[in-house]
Amino acid sequence: MSELISKEPEEGLIDKRRIQPRHYELALAEQAMRRATGRYLTVEEILRRNGFVADEINRLKARGGAREDLTMQALRLYVSVANQTAMGLCLLELKDGVLRLAVGDRVDDADLLRIANALQRANREVVKIEVEPWDRAELARLMREQSEVAGERLLRVFASLARDPDDATMIEQALNDILAEALQSRTSDIHFSLQEDDARCWIRYRVDGDLVYKHLIPHRVMAPLVTRIKTDSKMDAADRQHPQDGRLGFEWQGRVIDVRVAALPVAPSGEKLTLRLLDRENLRSFDELFMHAPVVAERLRKAIHGHTKDGGLVVVSGPTGSGKSTTLYGIIQEIDRSSRAVYSVEAPVEYDMPLVDQTSVTDNSANTIADIIRALMRHDPDVIIVGEMRDGDTVEAALRATESGHLVITTVHAVDALHTLDRMDGFLSSAYRTSGLYILGHALVASLSQRLVKTVCPACHRLETGLRVFGNENRCNDIGIRPDETVALATSGGCDLCNHTGFLGRTLVLEAMFPPEDQASRRAITEMMLSNVTTSIIDVPGTIYLARRESISDLIRRCAIDANMGASLMVEEAATRQGRGR
């Protein structure tokens, strides 16, 4: 164990010589501005925030030089607070493979070995341990704070509010602890239900796509909590008869989490609040999104980095909650925003993206999304991001923008990559349909369709051979794996890390279609769309098509998803294709 212990920190992973000079100059300018306002950020931090070091980070990941970082709060999932206290130490962070821990006295090598093994069992690599001697009183204070997790404290806060619902301090503490607990448990949305019946006043968390009933609190506690959220979100707290939208900020682990709040009246006399947690730190980079789909990444990069103004359209489709916005923002990060004018129009803006001029359109806005797209034509754009195409006016405006030589990247609700074209066709008016489909046939760069599927817990999943799981070689061949190939199965009881579900997080299941680039093929595709036979487009010579089935098979082979769940997804995919005549 001694070879892992060190008191010398590793050098930073980012090689400044690999950063483009204009990116470095922009970071220096921002650093100087922030210093003038009393806030200091390193150049490296600014480069990271602006998304200018993603390529370098992913290059290091590819060669094994960068590793997943874990905060003090995240490390509690692998080594419990009780065990840390028993060892007389506190895990501070795991960064770039270096585990920092604080000790008050001495530390036993056997304890360090147990900690390293616990992390490595969960596929968290530890290459070095830095031991920091702390004052015993300070260490004791830190350990007490760490043991005071938000979820445990909430029970006492709710009990206090039940006795005194008007205690403003406790209401603020409850809101802070709810948000902290939700973020710790990978929650994407928090649902508050306010009803006169105490038995219906639930707080629920959306975790990995599933809705979890978390806290049942009486009406007298829920009511002031809902009022506080609406007030902080700049809503009319007294209005419970009309839908409202708002936003609030929450500081967590040294960064600000943007919280989008929506209020809705519900029968008989209640109200529903839904909080969407938007954490920019959790946005995935372009390379992370398409790491296992190199053909998709290559074709998208070619379109994104092209400097000829030929126009183009990239469409990302999928149902609600399938991660379309995350993919959209990942593509935005790949664009060189320091040399190209990038605009976005969203309803509303979710994440604040550096070096992107973002316009938010809401129900109360004077202008529609289509109005903003048309207005952007006078602002010298290179790339236009359209949050979602949901009506014919928006689709027409987006297609005209591509006709003018601009790259348009957008999302739409559709079941698969080919249905995306049918969906857009359905939005077009009869008067514009022929012209619109001609533009679509010649401007389409890529049609991506995606789903999110749960990943197995890295700490407690089981490994079996494909033959043992699926029973016979023919079934293995149908799935796309060898009979002797290893696949993963989720453990029904799970573990503490996955909250005893067997699953931890979600991953992308991708379908992609790239039409050929020659004009003859484009004309043929246009004729197919005009004749409503889009299912034949993938048979046009030169078309690149990645079936969702291939993506699922790859996830099974990489032991990323439960093998039985993957097989079920393939059955559903086959049924969908059969229903569409493919």
Side-chain angles (χ1 to χ4, degrees):
M1 195 66 211
S2 58
E3 68 273 11
L4 288 178
I5 302 174
S6 170
K7 294 186 180 180
E8 296 295 328
E10 285 190 342
E11 295 181 1
L13 284 175
I14 295 177
D15 184 353
K16 299 297 192 299
R17 293 170 299 180
R18 294 180 176 270
I19 302 301
Q20 294 188 35
R22 63 175 178 272
H23 294 169
Y24 198 78
E25 289 169 6
L26 284 169
L28 288 174
E30 183 176 336
Q31 184 187 50
M33 182 274 295
R34 291 187 180 277
R35 275 179 174 167
T37 59
R39 186 180 181 192
Y40 177 77
L41 288 176
T42 66
V43 171
E44 181 174 313
E45 287 173 322
I46 295 171
L47 288 167
R48 286 179 182 276
R49 287 159 63 95
N50 288 340
F52 290 149
V53 294
D55 289 341
E56 175 71 1
I57 293 297
N58 285 290
R59 178 185 64 79
L60 288 161
K61 284 182 178 179
R63 76 180 192 194
R67 302 161 182 88
E68 183 174 359
D69 298 341
L70 296 173
T71 62
M72 183 170 66
Q73 289 81 2
L75 286 166
R76 285 196 305 235
L77 297 172
Y78 303 91
V79 182
S80 69
V81 174
N83 285 339
Q84 293 183 45
T85 303
M87 298 176 192
L89 52 83
C90 181
L91 305 185
L92 300 176
E93 69 171 356
L94 176 64
K95 185 175 183 180
D96 303 335
V98 179
L99 177 65
R100 290 177 53 235
L101 54 86
V103 299
D105 240 338
R106 54 180 294 277
V107 61
D108 193 329
D109 279 359
D111 289 337
L112 295 180
L113 184 60
R114 280 196 289 271
I115 292 170
N117 287 340
L119 291 167
Q120 287 167 353
R121 279 197 302 272
N123 296 325
R124 303 299 189 261
E125 186 177 2
V126 178
V127 296
K128 186 182 292 185
I129 297 177
E130 292 181 1
V131 176
E132 299 182 7
W134 277 43
D135 176 78
R136 295 181 67 179
E138 279 296 303
L139 180 62
R141 182 190 60 78
L142 178 66
M143 295 173 74
R144 280 197 303 273
E145 289 179 356
Q146 187 180 199
S147 63
E148 190 78 17
V149 295
E152 297 169 352
R153 187 168 55 227
L154 262 175
L155 299 178
R156 296 196 299 274
V157 172
F158 287 149
S160 177
L161 280 174
R163 294 189 297 271
D164 183 7
D166 298 323
D167 188 335
T169 301
M170 283 292 103
I171 292 172
E172 181 179 6
Q173 185 67 62
L175 177 56
N176 290 340
D177 286 346
I178 289 168
L179 291 170
E181 181 186 51
L183 288 162
Q184 288 169 357
S185 59
R186 309 181 314 283
T187 296
S188 61
D189 300 85
I190 308 175
H191 296 248
F192 292 82
S193 296
L194 174 63
Q195 293 282 5
E196 292 184 356
D197 182 358
D198 286 352
R200 298 175 66 185
C201 292
W202 276 100
I203 300 174
R204 297 172 292 172
Y205 295 167
R206 175 79 66 180
V207 182
D208 295 341
D210 292 333
L211 203 57
V212 179
Y213 283 75
K214 197 68 178 180
H215 302 289
L216 179 61
I217 58 179
H219 177 275
R220 65 180 179 277
V221 175
M222 182 69 82
L225 190 57
V226 166
T227 298
R228 176 59 183 265
I229 294 171
K230 293 176 71 176
T231 301
D232 288 354
S233 305
K234 306 297 188 294
M235 296 182 188
D236 182 354
D239 183 1
R240 292 185 173 171
Q241 304 302 316
H242 303 93
Q244 297 185 70
D245 294 294
R247 299 179 91 98
L248 61 88
F250 174 65
E251 188 168 341
W252 186 65
Q253 294 186 356
R255 62 184 187 271
V256 176
I257 310 298
D258 195 22
V259 183
R260 194 178 72 200
V261 184
L264 181 73
V266 293
S269 58
E271 189 171 20
K272 169 73 181 299
L273 290 188
T274 303
L275 279 60
R276 168 67 57 87
L277 307 181
L278 303 170
D279 183 3
R280 279 197 67 232
E281 294 292 322
N282 285 335
L283 282 176
R284 301 178 68 185
S285 71
F286 182 91
D287 288 309
E288 288 178 295
L289 286 168
F290 303 112
M291 183 187 306
H292 301 287
V295 174
V296 175
E298 179 185 352
R299 290 298 295 263
L300 286 176
R301 276 201 180 95
K302 183 178 178 181
I304 290 169
H305 296 305
H307 290 286
T308 58
K309 286 208 169 187
D310 294 331
L313 179 67
V314 176
V315 188
V316 181
S317 67
T320 300
S322 60
K324 297 188 299 297
S325 295
T326 299
T327 298
L328 199 65
Y329 281 101
I331 294 174
I332 293 173
Q333 292 181 75
E334 178 65 16
I335 300 170
D336 186 358
R337 290 157 285 138
S338 66
S339 64
R340 308 187 76 185
V342 182
Y343 295 84
S344 81
V345 50
E346 304 167 59
V349 169
E350 293 196 359
Y351 295 94
D352 176 32
M353 294 298 294
L355 307 183
V356 178
D357 293 304
Q358 297 173 275
T359 301
S360 185
V361 177
T362 64
D363 293 337
N364 299 321
S365 300
N367 298 306
T368 65
I369 293 178
D371 292 333
I372 301 299
I373 295 173
R374 286 188 283 265
L376 287 177
M377 294 297 98
R378 298 187 292 274
H379 289 270
D380 187 30
D382 291 306
V383 182
I384 299 174
I385 313 296
V386 182
E388 182 183 340
M389 293 199 292
R390 58 180 67 170
D391 56 59
D393 203 17
T394 302
V395 173
E396 180 176 341
L399 289 175
R400 292 192 184 278
T402 65
E403 189 180 25
S404 301
H406 304 96
L407 176 63
V408 176
I409 306 173
T410 186
T411 72
V412 69
H413 289 282
V415 296
D416 58 36
L418 290 177
H419 180 250
T420 297
L421 306 182
D422 294 335
R423 179 76 169 149
M424 294 181 67
D425 183 4
F427 282 131
L428 300 177
S429 64
S430 57
Y432 182 69
R433 181 174 183 263
T434 301
S435 298
L437 290 182
Y438 178 85
I439 297 172
L440 177 60
H442 285 76
L444 184 66
V445 172
S447 176
L448 310 180
S449 178
Q450 63 184 59
R451 300 288 189 277
L452 290 176
V453 60
K454 293 180 182 178
T455 53
V456 293
C457 175
C460 66
H461 71 271
R462 297 184 292 113
L463 297 178
E464 296 283 359
T465 63
L467 184 61
R468 187 177 181 89
V469 172
F470 299 116
N472 59 71
E473 293 187 9
N474 290 335
R475 181 61 173 149
C476 291
N477 292 332
D478 289 341
I479 300 297
I481 63 170
R482 300 189 312 271
D484 61 344
E485 202 163 357
T486 300
V487 298
L489 294 174
T491 304
S492 58
C495 64
D496 291 338
L497 176 61
C498 61
N499 199 25
H500 303 285
T501 63
F503 298 94
L504 187 68
R506 292 186 292 174
T507 191
L508 196 65
V509 176
L510 189 65
E511 180 186 22
M513 190 271 291
F514 298 90
E517 298 176 343
D518 65 282
Q519 292 304 307
S521 297
R522 293 283 183 162
R523 284 193 293 272
I525 289 173
T526 301
E527 291 298 326
M528 290 177 184
M529 290 191 293
L530 286 167
S531 303
N532 295 313
V533 286
T534 54
T535 54
S536 301
I537 291 177
I538 60 175
D539 299 321
V540 174
T543 299
I544 297 175
Y545 178 63
L546 172 68
R548 184 174 287 119
R549 181 184 182 87
E550 296 175 34
S551 184
I552 297 170
S553 181
D554 177 62
L555 290 170
I556 294 174
R557 287 195 302 270
R558 291 192 284 108
C559 297
I561 64 174
D562 180 87
N564 288 321
M565 178 182 290
S568 298
L569 289 172
M570 284 191 175
V571 172
E572 293 174 11
E573 174 66 12
T576 301
R577 289 173 61 86
Q578 186 176 4
R580 285 183 48 79
R582 288 193 275 124

